[in-house]
Amino acid sequence: MDEAQEKEFKKQIVTIKLELVERMQQGHTETVQLDQSRVGRLSRMDALQGQQMALEAQRRNEQKIMALDGALRRMEAGDFGYCFVCGDEIPLPRLQVDPTVTRCINCTNVDPEN
């Protein structure tokens, strides 16, 4: 991978990370009110489900941010674009789909039990 490609990946990773952080800041979940005299049972259930869905989305965003940070660290170390398992270069089309991948296709499909 040449320097221009790496710069483009870094720009893409930073942009995605900033969007996720912004989305997380906008979507803070508030505690659901469980005052039974104010809200019906179905409304409370719906509110609790919505809150759980928002918490799960936040958890996934946090995991994605950690993966993006890992990709940035690999760039700094000079390991970006190389498979952690076999050391081969990860094909550019695979990195373009997901710049956080750490394994080539062959190593991704290997059964860890073998």
Side-chain angles (χ1 to χ4, degrees):
M1 173 180 321
D2 64 23
E3 190 175 322
Q5 289 171 323
E6 191 168 319
K7 275 186 172 183
E8 188 59 36
F9 278 117
K10 185 172 186 173
K11 180 181 171 185
Q12 178 184 0
I13 290 168
V14 170
T15 301
I16 293 169
K17 182 179 175 182
L18 290 174
E19 289 172 1
L20 286 172
V21 168
E22 183 178 319
R23 190 179 314 155
M24 285 177 60
Q25 289 173 344
Q26 292 174 352
H28 280 293
T29 58
E30 296 181 16
T31 304
V32 174
Q33 295 289 334
L34 294 177
D35 182 3
Q36 293 189 19
S37 64
R38 291 178 49 205
V39 181
R41 186 177 82 190
L42 292 177
S43 295
R44 283 192 312 278
M45 289 172 54
D46 188 46
L48 287 168
Q49 181 182 20
Q51 182 183 36
Q52 289 303 311
M53 289 172 61
L55 288 171
E56 178 60 21
Q58 181 177 348
R59 185 191 65 77
R60 283 192 312 266
N61 286 340
E62 289 169 353
Q63 286 181 328
K64 188 66 173 179
I65 288 171
M66 288 183 352
L68 292 166
D69 286 340
L72 292 172
R73 283 192 300 276
R74 288 190 300 280
M75 280 183 179
E76 291 172 11
D79 295 332
F80 180 77
Y82 293 96
C83 178
F84 272 4
V85 177
C86 68
D88 288 345
E89 192 169 343
I90 299 171
L92 284 177
R94 181 165 168 77
L95 288 171
Q96 289 168 338
V97 170
D98 183 2
T100 65
V101 295
T102 58
R103 296 177 182 204
C104 65
I105 287 287
N106 293 332
C107 292
T108 300
N109 295 328
V110 172
D111 185 6
E113 305 263 332
N114 292 331

